[in-house]
Amino acid sequence: MSISMHSVSAPVFVRMLGNLLTWLDKAELHAQAKKFDVNVLLTARLAPDMLPFATQIQIAADAAKFGVARLAGAEAPKFEDNEASIAELKERVRKTIEFVQSVPAAQIDGSENKDIIIPRRDGSMVLKGEIFLKHFSLPNFFFHVTTTYALLRHNGIELGKVDYLGALQ
Amino acid sequence: MSISMHSVSAPVFVRMLGNLLTWLDKAELHAQAKKFDVNVLLTARLAPDMLPFATQIQIAADAAKFGVARLAGAEAPKFEDNEASIAELKERVRKTIEFVQSVPAAQIDGSENKDIIIPRRDGSMVLKGEIFLKHFSLPNFFFHVTTTYALLRHNGIELGKVDYLGALQ
């Protein structure tokens, strides 16, 4: 099999979001052991003008959702952005994984030269599918996934590179 | 053009490493304005048991270097891991970009099913080229690039998503 627009997007999103769920499980266990409310993490930030933990997860999920939806020309599920607990954030991530998995590979493959419209505050941006995936969607997704991981590590949750990457063999 | 093993690896590494160089430029300007030695950043960490800033940049560069070298079956340039300043780290990143750009696309394309051997402390791991790229090399690269960015933000350097992604239009 040759690499394709689907093979380099959906499975990457699904795998990393699955890894992220295991970090949140570990955060819950850690909070339980240390006897603090795990949901205090939701407002954690690495800098006062960076987005908080809950938003990092929301955007990571949205990057995956919009990544495949835009390439496939599919309707993305809507979320209210009102998750108030780790449990609710996990539910959102799970629903996002289900959506990403529901989009047929054939609907994403061949989208290299498709015009992808990205709405922005200051007017929309149009990128070709391949540029969108390689230089916007994947980097943006990994940004928010890694920032989520960094916030957990910064707050004392014990995670390592194996948790980040997931088991490979 | 269809997406390929080269098109989804080398240009992604080169672009993000180029973006990283601009963050380091901004860090230097910030330190100059605030009158501190920019090289104090080299030992900054997000958690006591996370790798420091200098190492994050070394590994980001190595992830790119080994990413293309392993897929292409090419010899990667060696670095001593002894950079003692932002200026030296920038030089390493620049040399890494040059190496990544020097590997012919045709030498990377078609490596989807090639066995890639990853040396690890506890014995080597073998992954198929496509799995290596999607689930090891790119996630690992983005991990260290994003952690570099996060450390700069955490230390007061003013960067935004446009700096992270680079100009897209």
Side-chain angles (χ1 to χ4, degrees):
Chain A
M1 284 286 288
S2 287
I3 201 164
S4 73
M5 289 294 285
H6 175 268
S7 84
V8 84
S9 58
V12 175
F13 295 138
V14 166
R15 180 182 175 82
M16 288 304 300
L17 290 176
N19 295 350
L20 187 151
L21 286 175
T22 69
W23 314 338
L24 298 182
D25 290 342
K26 289 202 175 185
E28 286 174 328
L29 289 173
H30 175 83
Q32 219 175 324
K34 296 278 182 187
K35 301 190 197 307
F36 69 82
D37 178 1
V38 73
N39 299 318
V40 300
L41 292 172
L42 268 65
T43 55
R45 300 173 192 258
L46 287 174
D49 57 347
M50 281 183 85
L51 295 168
F53 185 72
T55 311
Q56 298 293 343
I57 297 176
Q58 288 166 346
I59 303 183
D62 279 4
K65 176 183 85 171
F66 287 126
V68 300
R70 286 177 181 148
L71 291 173
E75 182 97 21
K78 283 187 178 60
F79 299 105
E80 296 297 327
D81 289 336
N82 59 0
E83 292 86 357
S85 67
I86 296 283
E88 287 178 20
L89 288 164
K90 282 163 76 172
E91 185 55 21
R92 177 173 180 152
V93 171
R94 277 193 291 264
K95 282 186 184 156
T96 301
I97 291 173
E98 275 169 33
F99 167 71
V100 171
Q101 288 176 324
S102 76
V103 178
Q107 213 175 319
I108 295 175
D109 281 343
S111 57
E112 281 91 339
N113 293 306
K114 182 174 172 176
D115 282 332
I116 307 293
I117 300 161
I118 304 161
R120 313 199 116 185
R121 258 165 294 176
D122 49 350
S124 56
M125 178 166 72
V126 183
L127 298 173
K128 293 294 177 192
E130 182 173 344
I131 300 298
F132 166 72
L133 177 59
K134 296 190 314 189
H135 297 317
F136 180 89
S137 178
L138 285 172
N140 192 42
F141 173 72
F142 280 114
F143 179 93
H144 294 287
V145 165
T146 302
T147 304
T148 298
Y149 177 98
L151 275 161
L152 290 170
R153 292 286 272 103
H154 188 62
N155 281 278
I157 299 17
E158 287 184 21
L159 299 172
K161 190 57 80 66
V162 173
D163 299 294
Y164 176 77
L165 291 174
L168 281 159
Q169 270 184 334
Chain B
M1 281 288 287
S2 288
I3 200 163
S4 73
M5 290 295 285
H6 176 269
S7 84
V8 85
S9 58
V12 175
F13 295 137
V14 166
R15 181 182 175 82
M16 288 305 299
L17 289 176
N19 295 351
L20 188 151
L21 286 176
T22 68
W23 314 337
L24 298 181
D25 290 342
K26 288 200 175 185
E28 287 175 326
L29 289 174
H30 175 83
Q32 216 174 327
K34 296 278 183 186
K35 301 191 196 307
F36 69 84
D37 177 2
V38 71
N39 299 318
V40 299
L41 292 173
L42 267 65
T43 56
R45 300 173 193 257
L46 287 174
D49 56 347
M50 281 184 85
L51 295 168
F53 185 72
T55 312
Q56 298 294 344
I57 297 175
Q58 288 166 346
I59 303 182
D62 278 5
K65 176 183 85 172
F66 287 126
V68 301
R70 287 177 182 149
L71 291 173
E75 182 96 22
K78 285 187 177 59
F79 299 105
E80 296 297 327
D81 289 334
N82 60 358
E83 291 85 357
S85 65
I86 296 281
E88 287 178 21
L89 288 165
K90 283 164 74 171
E91 185 57 22
R92 177 172 180 152
V93 171
R94 277 192 290 265
K95 282 185 184 156
T96 301
I97 291 173
E98 275 169 32
F99 167 70
V100 171
Q101 288 176 324
S102 77
V103 178
Q107 213 176 319
I108 295 176
D109 281 343
S111 59
E112 281 90 338
N113 293 305
K114 183 174 173 175
D115 282 333
I116 307 293
I117 300 160
I118 305 161
R120 311 197 118 185
R121 258 163 294 173
D122 50 351
S124 57
M125 179 166 71
V126 183
L127 298 174
K128 293 293 177 194
E130 183 175 344
I131 300 297
F132 166 72
L133 177 58
K134 296 191 315 190
H135 297 317
F136 180 88
S137 179
L138 285 173
N140 193 42
F141 173 72
F142 279 114
F143 179 92
H144 294 286
V145 165
T146 303
T147 303
T148 298
Y149 177 97
L151 275 162
L152 290 170
R153 292 287 270 107
H154 187 63
N155 281 278
I157 299 14
E158 287 184 21
L159 299 172
K161 191 56 82 64
V162 173
D163 298 296
Y164 176 76
L165 292 174
L168 281 158
Q169 272 185 330

